[in-house]
């Protein structure tokens, strides 16, 4: 009996419940309730129930009201649950109302047991086929391990966004993010662990995006974001914030502290002239690869200088706290000049006799050599 499909019969008549149960037993495991409210509580708590056969007129909660609760439930399994309404005097108006509310089938009391079985069997077979279809569709749309969108689905999202941009005269941008030296990360910890690290950062990124943005896979250790209605300059700003956040983060992997960096390519219309959504994503991907080849840990958006951008004092301190000294060294001259006014004030107030002139001379000398 444990392997049989579970069906809930709801009717205030004990005789009707017994009759329906007799027809179904042997093919289904039956549970009975005498009113709509009790049936609702059972449906919420019992996840094994695969179909409902309910009377139309019942105390506490009618068949219509029970059906409405099921179809408007936040639980997906209830929204799609096969639901049969049973009535002794149904009219065309009642049938139309039940159909509009999402009833699966409508049968008359007294119909033969063979007919009930055929209808119930057909409904469950249809539900099973739909579930398999949905699962296949989700597999095409989403990666089962990360839950993120597939690259093909991102192309569809980008195509819709471009269509919207053309109609309303607004921008659409995409950014492609890739982990620098991802292959080496895989060799060091194994490909599975490297993918887990990448997916962990992708989930962090998902928490910082707008609802209308779409995040998905682009390649191994690479992700893409489609941002409808976003100008290219704003997308570049967001990309740089993401890049800096990854740069200062530290992960504990197999007992080791691991730091990673990313390179990001950004493209968008109407600034970039592309023929299709796939071309827009490919352009962002190309700029990401160029950023990696230029040393990594940078953002490329077409026409942007290859040199690493100056970082803020706050970001430099974050990097030093994370033991990322090498990431600060290229910015040392600019940071030193920013600090000079503060050092002069400290020297004056604390009487430190700092060699400020020598510090300034050395900074200028380094800048001249570059």
């Amino acid at each position: 009996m444990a392997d049989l499909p579970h069906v809930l019969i709801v009717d205030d008549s004990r005789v009707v419940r017994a009759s329906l149960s007799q027809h179904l037993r042997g093919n289904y495991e039956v549970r009975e309730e005498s009113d709509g409210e009790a049936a609702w509580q059972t449906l919420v708590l019992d996840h094994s129930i695969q179909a409902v056969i309910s009377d139309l007129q019942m105390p506490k909660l009618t068949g219509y009201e029970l059906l409405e609760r099921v179809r408007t439930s936040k639980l997906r399994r209830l929204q799609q649950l096969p639901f049969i309404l049973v009535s002794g005097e149904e009219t065309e108006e009642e049938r139309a109302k039940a159909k509009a509310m999402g009833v699966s089938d409508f049968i008359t009391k007294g119909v033969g047991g063979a007919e009930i079985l055929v209808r119930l069997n057909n409904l469950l077979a249809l539900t099973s086929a739909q579930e398999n279809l949905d699962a296949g569709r989700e597999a095409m749309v989403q990666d089962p391990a990360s839950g993120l969108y597939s690259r093909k689905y991102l192309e569809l999202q980008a195509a819709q966004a471009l269509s919207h941009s053309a109609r309303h005269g607004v921008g659409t941008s995409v950014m492609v993010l890739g982990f620098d030296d991802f292959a080496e990360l895989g060799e060091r910890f194994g490909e599975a662990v490297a993918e887990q690290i990448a997916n962990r950062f992708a989930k962090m990124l998902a928490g910082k995006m707008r609802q209308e943005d779409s995040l998905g896979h682009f390649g191994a250790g690479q992700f893409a974001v489609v941002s409808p209605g976003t100008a290219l300059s704003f997308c570049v700003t967001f990309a740089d914030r993401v890049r800096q956040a990854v740069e200062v983060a530290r992960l504990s992997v197999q007992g080791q502290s691991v730091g990673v960096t990313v390179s990001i390519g950004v493209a968008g219309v109407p600034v970039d002239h592309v023929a299709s959504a796939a071309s827009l994503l490919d352009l962002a991907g190309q700029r990401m690869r160029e950023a990696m080849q230029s040393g990594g840990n940078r953002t490329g958006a077409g026409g942007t200088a290859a040199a690493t951008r100056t970082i803020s004092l706050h970001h430099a301190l974050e990097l030093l706290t994370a033991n990322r000294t090498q990431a600060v060294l290229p910015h040392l001259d600019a940071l030193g000049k920013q600090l000079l006014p503060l050092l002069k004030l400290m020297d004056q107030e604390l009487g430190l006799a700092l060699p400020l002139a020598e510090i300034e001379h050395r900074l200028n000398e380094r800048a001249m050599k570059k």
Side-chain angles (χ1 to χ4, degrees):
M1 293 292 290
D3 295 329
L4 296 177
H6 292 212
V7 175
L8 175 64
I9 295 176
V10 194
D11 200 298
D12 55 337
S13 169
R14 182 182 300 175
V15 174
V16 173
R17 294 201 307 272
S19 176
L20 287 172
S21 297
Q22 184 178 5
H23 291 314
L24 299 180
R25 281 199 172 96
N27 295 280
Y28 294 92
E29 183 172 346
V30 178
R31 179 164 180 175
E32 301 177 15
E33 294 294 351
S34 60
D35 64 75
E37 186 63 44
W40 170 248
Q41 297 300 324
T42 296
L43 288 171
V44 171
L45 297 174
D46 190 347
H47 293 221
S48 69
I49 294 175
Q50 296 175 251
V52 179
I53 300 177
S54 173
D55 187 19
L56 190 57
Q57 302 300 329
M58 298 181 296
K60 297 185 180 179
L61 206 66
T62 68
Y64 285 134
E65 292 167 336
L66 178 59
L67 174 62
E68 183 178 19
R69 284 197 188 181
V70 167
R71 291 296 182 250
T72 59
S73 170
K74 294 180 179 180
L75 300 174
R76 186 177 178 183
R77 64 180 175 85
L78 295 185
Q79 295 171 7
Q80 301 176 347
L81 191 71
F83 196 110
I84 299 175
L85 273 177
V86 183
S87 174
E89 299 177 352
E90 83 280 2
T91 63
E92 287 302 320
E93 184 179 353
E94 287 175 325
R95 285 180 176 272
K97 179 179 178 181
K99 185 177 181 180
M101 295 175 68
V103 72
S104 305
D105 203 349
F106 205 130
I107 62 176
T108 304
K109 284 184 179 179
V111 71
E115 177 68 16
I116 295 175
L117 276 175
V118 167
R119 295 197 185 190
L120 192 53
N121 290 340
N122 289 341
L123 280 175
L124 290 179
L126 180 62
T127 300
S128 178
Q130 185 62 51
E131 288 175 351
N132 291 335
L133 181 63
D134 290 343
R137 187 180 294 114
E138 287 182 3
M140 290 188 292
V141 170
Q142 291 182 303
D143 179 84
S146 66
L148 300 179
Y149 292 127
S150 67
R151 180 169 174 173
K152 190 63 180 178
Y153 185 74
L154 283 180
E155 288 185 16
L156 295 175
Q157 294 293 91
Q160 292 180 358
L162 290 179
S163 177
H164 181 269
S165 294
R167 290 196 309 271
H168 300 281
V170 296
T172 285
S173 299
V174 300
M175 61 178 256
V176 175
L177 172 154
F179 284 85
D180 298 317
D181 302 319
F182 185 73
E184 293 181 12
L185 197 64
E187 292 176 1
R188 181 179 175 187
F189 297 105
E191 293 182 1
V193 174
E195 285 292 345
Q196 289 175 7
I197 293 172
N199 288 337
R200 196 183 310 180
F201 277 106
K203 289 179 181 178
M204 175 272 290
L205 177 59
K208 299 180 180 297
M209 290 167 29
R210 307 172 304 170
Q211 283 189 339
E212 57 265 41
D213 295 337
S214 300
L215 169 65
H217 289 279
F218 188 81
Q222 299 173 359
F223 304 91
V225 177
V226 177
S227 296
T230 302
L232 183 61
S233 58
F234 287 104
C235 194
V236 172
T237 300
F238 176 65
D240 259 340
R241 288 203 304 267
V242 171
R243 182 185 59 78
Q244 292 172 8
V246 173
E247 185 180 18
V248 300
R250 304 294 295 183
L251 287 177
S252 178
V253 181
Q254 298 177 355
Q256 301 180 47
S257 180
V258 178
V260 295
T261 61
V262 295
S263 292
I264 303 176
V266 185
V269 296
V271 177
D272 294 308
H273 301 287
V274 294
S276 65
S279 299
L280 186 64
L281 280 164
D282 287 341
L283 179 58
Q286 176 186 332
R287 288 173 177 171
M288 174 200 67
R289 290 187 291 274
E290 291 172 351
M292 287 180 172
Q293 293 166 1
S294 298
N297 190 28
R298 64 191 66 204
T299 301
T304 303
T308 307
R309 295 176 176 83
T310 302
I311 62 176
S312 67
L313 284 170
H314 176 72
H315 186 48
L317 292 174
E318 286 183 326
L319 288 169
L320 292 175
T321 301
N323 296 320
R324 303 292 299 279
T325 306
Q326 292 301 318
V328 179
L329 286 176
H331 310 279
L332 193 59
D333 302 337
L335 293 170
K337 290 183 178 180
Q338 291 181 54
L339 279 173
L340 275 175
L342 179 60
L343 291 175
K344 289 178 181 179
L345 179 61
M346 292 175 63
D347 186 58
Q348 178 183 335
E349 291 297 316
L350 302 177
L352 299 175
L354 294 173
L356 296 174
E358 179 66 16
I359 292 174
E360 187 170 8
H361 173 71
R362 293 287 181 90
L363 289 173
N364 288 333
E365 193 176 59
R366 285 166 58 94
M368 289 289 290
K369 289 181 178 179
K370 292 181 180 179

